[in-house]
Amino acid sequence: MTVTLRPLDVVILAAGQGTRMNSALPKVLHPVAGRPMVAWAVRAARKLNARNVVVVTGHGAEQVETALEGQGVIFARQEQRLGTGHAFICGIDALDDHKRADVLVLYGDTPLLRPTTLEAMLEDHRARGSALTLLTGELPDATGYGRIIRDEHGDVARIVEQKDATSEEEQVGEFNSGVYLMDSRAADLAHRIGNDNAAGEYYLTDLLGLYRAEGEAAHAFKLSDPDEVMGANDRAGLAELEAILRRRINARHMRAGVTLQAPDTIRIQDSVKIARDVTLEPGVILRGQTVLSGGVTVGAYSVITDSVLETGVVIKAHSVLEGAHVGASSDVGPFARLRPGSVLGEGVHIGNFVETKNARLDAGVKAGHLAYLGDVTIGAETNVGAGTIVANYDGINKHPSVIGAGVFIGSNSTIIAPRTVGDAAFIAAGSAVHDDVPEGAMAVARGKQRNIEGWSRRYWGGMRGKMQKKLPWLARWLERQEEGEQGGGGQ
């Protein structure tokens, strides 16, 4: 059989308000698995190699158009919401040339519809030379949906809405999804849709009768999984969509060789790329343009956004990474935070409660615990002691610092930017470094220690009554000191 290969135009209806969402955000912009719902429809259209993708906007039009900016779609505004047929007319009229193309109608609130399903529907439509193909599904109880009534040939004769269905028609399980694939006559026929009904609206379902009046049979392409056309009218429905997509995404990664411990607790957005032999512990969240190479382990309850983890990286529990690049065989955490612009070389160690921001750490750098490293470049194999702070902000501007290779920074040191510390330098613990440190030099920047004998007794002695309740240990110490003096005086 010869398959007619015509161009494909896609019209996505996304003008509705979605009042049951009870939200200032337009319904179609509510995210599911990291994408606004309408973006899933655009993605599906792109997978079909559509020639044109038209998004019909209405409520919150500017917000929707801004969200889809740069995705190569055409926008058509439905200034008055006069029904699905009217929305389709707004969309198809936005195209300069629709005379020789098939036209697919999708919706901005059905993110579960698989591109592979639409590909199969398109292939069937063209193989059969159909003028109109309806995507249908079947449920044991299709209450709420329009029912598909077939004729003696098995073609679609009518769509009966729930409110108009007879008791016999209510028993029909096959339902109308609202997704239609039509030939190039769709635009002309759509302009014949009338609004002679109680609501005064133009309904897209009327296209079925118009095609049949042209002598054309309408074919149905039945879904194997009716959940694919599930929409969301409120936040509870949105959570159901999220759960289904999460299971799909997780299953895809597991089949590709990724270990997900307790997968029901793991959230992976569709845009994330994961190589095989990666292990994700319970509660992990992966977002945005994150890329995980082979052999990576991500510890429990870590959150990673827009970050790249190279081969063999270990992220320990409860760490947060955003816009970071972590070199091969490095380890981070637990309880570490890598902020945007953090670039770690190979074999870097970032320990607990270390925070980096706009920082480049070369191979082998170690920052074991309790440090802040901001706007700094640190050379290979430098050791950053506990409590080290790179003080990069003067209250108005951020300043960069450069720390060389093989530097030893003692605990509780402060590097006051902008500073340069040369290779193999040594910074004594507790130093506040306010001048550059030459290569190989030792910097000691702290006050000389002075011990004042008997200070505690003099300071605390006048507060013994308060100390009995608040500082009982010190009160007992004072008593021992006094008893010692009295004993000594009797000898």
Side-chain angles (χ1 to χ4, degrees):
M1 178 182 294
T2 302
V3 178
T4 304
L5 294 178
R6 294 182 294 270
L8 176 69
D9 292 332
V10 178
V11 177
I12 301 172
L13 306 187
Q17 182 173 357
T19 54
R20 281 179 283 178
M21 281 290 180
N22 193 20
S23 174
L25 189 69
K27 175 182 177 180
V28 298
L29 290 186
H30 281 267
V32 178
R35 300 179 196 269
M37 285 196 284
V38 67
W40 285 96
V42 172
R43 175 178 178 269
R46 290 288 173 226
K47 292 279 187 178
L48 296 173
N49 296 316
R51 180 181 67 175
N52 295 300
V53 179
V54 183
V55 178
V56 181
T57 61
H59 177 75
E62 290 184 1
Q63 289 173 271
V64 176
E65 291 164 12
T66 298
L68 296 177
E69 190 175 0
Q71 297 195 26
V73 302
I74 300 166
F75 296 108
R77 291 207 182 174
Q78 187 186 20
E79 300 294 349
Q80 293 180 286
R81 258 72 79 202
L82 299 177
T84 53
H86 178 254
F88 174 70
I89 292 169
C90 293
I92 202 71
D93 284 353
L95 296 175
D96 294 330
D97 177 20
H98 51 73
K99 298 297 184 183
R100 293 180 298 279
D102 289 319
V103 182
L104 174 65
V105 177
L106 299 176
Y107 297 85
D109 62 351
T110 54
L112 301 183
L113 190 52
R114 291 182 173 94
T116 52
T117 296
L118 295 174
E119 288 169 359
M121 178 184 179
L122 181 59
E123 183 178 343
D124 180 75
H125 174 81
R126 288 172 171 171
R128 298 171 70 171
S130 296
L132 171 64
T133 301
L134 294 79
L135 185 65
T136 69
E138 186 143 11
L139 291 168
D141 180 2
T143 300
Y145 287 98
R147 305 306 205 281
I148 296 296
I149 307 301
R150 297 191 183 231
D151 61 21
E152 65 276 12
H153 305 294
D155 298 326
V156 180
R158 293 180 294 127
I159 301 169
V160 181
E161 299 301 328
Q162 175 76 35
K163 65 181 186 303
D164 301 321
T166 65
S167 56
E168 182 179 357
E169 289 166 341
E170 286 180 347
Q171 302 308 307
V172 174
E174 189 175 12
F175 65 88
N176 172 38
S177 74
V179 174
Y180 306 118
L181 184 55
M182 299 164 280
D183 67 11
S184 58
R185 285 172 289 179
D188 292 337
L189 292 177
H191 282 87
R192 299 186 204 170
I193 296 174
N195 66 339
D196 186 16
N197 52 65
E201 293 189 349
Y202 300 85
Y203 296 124
L204 193 58
T205 50
D206 290 353
L207 277 174
L208 171 61
L210 291 168
Y211 267 102
R212 287 182 65 86
E214 294 279 304
E216 297 290 352
H219 299 127
F221 184 85
K222 189 182 290 188
L223 289 160
S224 58
D225 177 8
D227 280 352
E228 288 195 47
V229 290
M230 181 187 298
N233 292 318
D234 54 26
R235 307 301 177 102
L238 201 65
E240 289 183 40
L241 298 182
E242 179 82 28
I244 292 170
L245 266 176
R246 186 174 69 246
R247 288 194 293 269
R248 279 190 196 173
I249 292 168
N250 288 358
R252 185 181 80 227
H253 287 299
M254 288 188 284
R255 286 193 292 266
V258 179
T259 296
L260 273 61
Q261 299 173 359
D264 287 346
T265 70
I266 293 172
R267 272 70 171 163
I268 306 171
Q269 291 186 351
D270 179 68
S271 52
V272 172
K273 295 181 173 59
I274 309 177
R276 67 179 186 178
D277 295 325
V278 166
T279 298
L280 305 180
E281 295 181 0
V284 167
I285 299 175
L286 304 178
R287 297 172 174 156
Q289 303 304 311
T290 292
V291 178
L292 274 56
S293 299
V296 166
T297 297
V298 181
Y301 303 102
S302 293
V303 180
I304 301 177
T305 305
D306 295 327
S307 296
V308 175
L309 277 57
E310 296 185 7
T311 304
V313 164
V314 175
I315 306 297
K316 297 177 183 176
H318 298 280
S319 294
V320 177
L321 282 68
E322 181 181 1
H325 189 120
V326 183
S329 303
S330 294
D331 67 283
V332 175
F335 297 99
R337 184 183 182 196
L338 273 55
R339 292 167 58 191
S342 297
V343 179
L344 277 53
E346 186 172 349
V348 170
H349 168 64
I350 296 291
N352 51 289
F353 303 105
V354 173
E355 179 177 347
T356 65
K357 189 273 296 180
N358 195 26
R360 183 179 186 90
L361 280 58
D362 290 343
V365 170
K366 293 179 174 59
H369 23 238
L370 301 164
Y372 173 69
L373 309 174
D375 295 293
V376 64
T377 299
I378 302 178
E381 299 180 12
T382 284
N383 184 85
V384 179
T388 294
I389 295 173
V390 177
N392 58 332
Y393 184 50
D394 64 6
I396 299 175
N397 298 307
K398 300 288 181 71
H399 299 279
S401 293
V402 177
I403 298 172
V407 173
F408 182 90
I409 303 175
S411 297
N412 290 324
S413 293
T414 301
I415 313 297
I416 303 172
R419 288 281 71 78
T420 298
V421 178
D423 293 347
F426 191 106
I427 297 173
S431 293
V433 178
H434 51 78
D435 289 319
D436 291 348
V437 182
E439 181 177 338
M442 177 177 179
V444 182
R446 60 193 183 204
K448 183 178 180 180
Q449 182 171 324
R450 184 164 64 100
N451 296 335
I452 303 172
E453 297 292 338
W455 182 90
S456 292
R457 183 176 174 184
R458 293 196 301 273
Y459 181 78
W460 294 112
M463 294 184 280
R464 181 172 300 166
K466 296 180 180 178
M467 290 168 58
Q468 294 295 338
K469 290 184 177 180
K470 294 188 175 181
L471 299 168
W473 186 90
L474 272 172
R476 291 193 296 270
W477 180 82
L478 281 171
E479 289 175 3
R480 289 196 299 271
Q481 296 297 307
E482 292 172 355
E483 289 169 0
E485 284 187 359
Q486 291 171 0
Q491 292 178 351

